[in-house]
C-alpha cells in the first residue's frame, strides 16, 4: 500500500515538472500561444515589444514608430504614410516642405550667420536669402542689408528682387546705401495724370515736366539744354 502511494506521488511530481518546463506562451495543451508574454509566436504578428524585427518602413510607411496591439497585431497608428513634395510635411528624403524645415535655419544648414532659409518647389533648402555679416559696398548682400552695389561693374546687387516684388507695376529697382531705392519704380497710369507711370518717358504737372531721375539732355547725347516733355515723350527742342 505504501509502495502504491509512493508511485502515485512520483507520477504527480513528474507531471508537475513537465508542466513547469513547457515553453512560456504555451497553453495548457502545449500548443496555443499566449498573447502578452512578450514573445511573438506562431499565430501572433507581434507581442509587446517583440515586433519580429519589423518597422514602419518595412510595411511601406515613410517613418514613425511601429507598435503592437493588445491582441498581438501590428499597430501602425504612429507610422507616417508616404508623402509627396508639397504636402507640407518634410519626409525623410526631403530637406523641407512648405513651412516644415525640420528645425533647420540658415546657421544650421551652412556656416551662415543669419538671414531667412527658404524652401524650393522641389523641397530642397534655398539659401539665397541667408547671409553673413560684412560691410556695405562689398557687392554682397550681408545680414541687415536689403541690397548692395557692385562698384566694379557699376550695377546694384538686388538678390533677384524687382519693383514688382515690392508692390509696383514696373520700373527699375535701385540700391542706395544698401537699402532698396524705389524712385525709379512705377505704377500703371495714363498720360496727363501728373504721375510718371510705367511706359511713359515723362509726364507733366502744374510745375512743369515730370522726368525720370536720370533723364536730361546730356543723358540723351546732347551737350546741354533743358529737357522737356510733350505727350509723355521727351521734348528735346530746348536741348543743344
Amino acid at each position: 500500500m505504501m509502495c502504491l502511494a509512493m508511485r502515485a506521488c512520483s507520477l504527480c511530481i513528474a507531471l508537475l515538472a513537465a508542466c513547469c518546463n513547457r515553453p512560456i506562451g504555451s497553453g495548457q495543451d502545449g500548443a496555443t500561444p499566449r498573447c502578452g508574454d512578450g514573445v511573438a509566436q506562431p499565430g501572433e504578428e507581434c507581442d509587446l515589444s517583440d515586433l519580429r524585427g519589423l518597422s514602419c518602413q518595412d510595411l511601406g510607411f515613410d517613418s514613425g514608430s511601429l507598435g503592437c496591439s493588445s491582441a498581438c497585431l501590428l499597430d501602425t497608428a504612429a507610422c507616417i504614410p508616404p508623402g509627396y513634395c508639397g504636402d507640407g510635411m518634410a519626409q525623410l528624403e526631403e530637406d523641407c516642405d512648405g513651412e516644415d524645415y525640420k528645425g533647420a535655419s540658415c546657421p544650421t544648414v551652412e556656416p551662415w550667420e543669419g538671414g531667412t532659409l527658404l524652401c524650393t518647389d522641389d523641397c530642397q533648402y534655398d539659401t539665397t536669402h541667408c547671409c553673413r555679416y560684412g560691410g556695405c559696398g562689398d557687392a554682397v548682400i550681408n545680414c541687415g542689408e536689403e541690397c548692395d552695389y557692385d562698384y566694379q561693374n557699376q550695377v546694384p546687387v538686388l538678390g533677384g528682387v524687382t519693383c514688382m516684388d515690392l508692390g509696383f507695376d514696373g520700373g527699375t529697382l535701385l540700391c542706395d546705401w544698401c537699402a532698396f531705392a524705389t524712385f525709379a519704380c512705377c505704377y500703371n497710369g495714363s498720360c496727363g495724370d501728373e504721375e510718371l507711370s510705367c511706359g511713359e518717358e515723362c509726364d507733366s504737372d502744374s510745375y512743369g515736366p515730370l522726368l525720370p531721375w536720370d533723364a536730361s539732355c546730356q543723358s540723351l547725347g546732347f551737350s546741354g539744354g533743358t529737357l522737356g516733355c510733350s505727350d509723355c515723350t521727351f521734348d528735346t527742342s530746348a536741348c543743344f
Side-chain angles (χ1 to χ4, degrees):
M1 194 70 172
M2 182 179 295
C3 183
L4 290 175
M6 291 178 65
R7 288 179 181 177
C9 184
S10 298
L11 180 60
C12 182
I13 293 174
L15 289 173
L16 182 61
C19 178
C20 292
N21 289 331
R22 286 192 180 117
I24 294 176
S26 296
Q28 291 183 355
D29 57 359
T32 304
R34 179 166 60 83
C35 180
D37 59 13
V39 179
Q41 302 177 65
E44 298 175 342
E45 293 183 354
C46 56
D47 200 315
L48 299 180
S49 61
D50 184 354
L51 304 176
R52 298 184 181 274
L54 297 175
S55 66
C56 289
Q57 289 90 331
D58 295 323
L59 300 182
F61 292 88
D62 184 80
S63 59
S65 299
L66 185 62
C68 187
S69 72
S70 59
C72 288
L73 299 174
L74 291 172
D75 182 1
T76 60
C79 292
I80 300 175
Y84 59 90
C85 182
D87 64 1
M89 181 181 296
Q91 312 293 335
L92 289 177
E93 69 280 4
E94 299 172 344
D95 287 343
C96 53
D97 197 321
E99 297 299 320
D100 184 356
Y101 289 82
K102 297 181 178 179
S105 63
C106 286
T108 64
V109 173
E110 292 183 28
W112 301 102
E113 296 173 303
T116 303
L117 184 64
L118 301 177
C119 190
T120 64
D121 291 339
D122 58 352
C123 292
Q124 303 299 310
Y125 291 138
D126 178 1
T127 60
T128 56
H129 291 276
C130 294
C131 61
R132 297 181 177 89
Y133 292 109
C136 183
D138 60 2
V140 177
I141 301 176
N142 301 302
C143 295
E145 299 175 349
E146 290 182 334
C147 54
D148 211 297
Y149 197 83
D150 182 351
Y151 286 98
Q152 181 176 356
N153 297 300
Q154 294 294 298
V155 293
V157 180
L158 303 172
V161 181
T162 66
C163 288
M164 285 75 79
D165 295 323
L166 300 181
F168 294 89
D169 295 318
T172 302
L173 184 62
L174 301 172
C175 188
D176 184 25
W177 291 101
C178 292
F180 291 134
T182 61
F183 51 83
C185 296
C186 62
Y187 295 103
N188 292 328
S190 58
C191 183
D193 61 2
E194 299 186 354
E195 295 286 344
L196 189 58
S197 304
C198 297
E200 297 177 349
E201 289 184 341
C202 55
D203 209 308
S204 301
D205 61 16
S206 58
Y207 295 98
L210 295 173
L211 303 173
W213 66 277
D214 58 347
S216 65
C217 289
Q218 290 88 337
S219 69
L220 297 179
F222 295 90
S223 299
T226 302
L227 184 62
C229 185
S230 178
D231 294 328
C232 295
T233 59
F234 291 137
D235 180 1
T236 60
S237 59
C239 295
F240 56 86

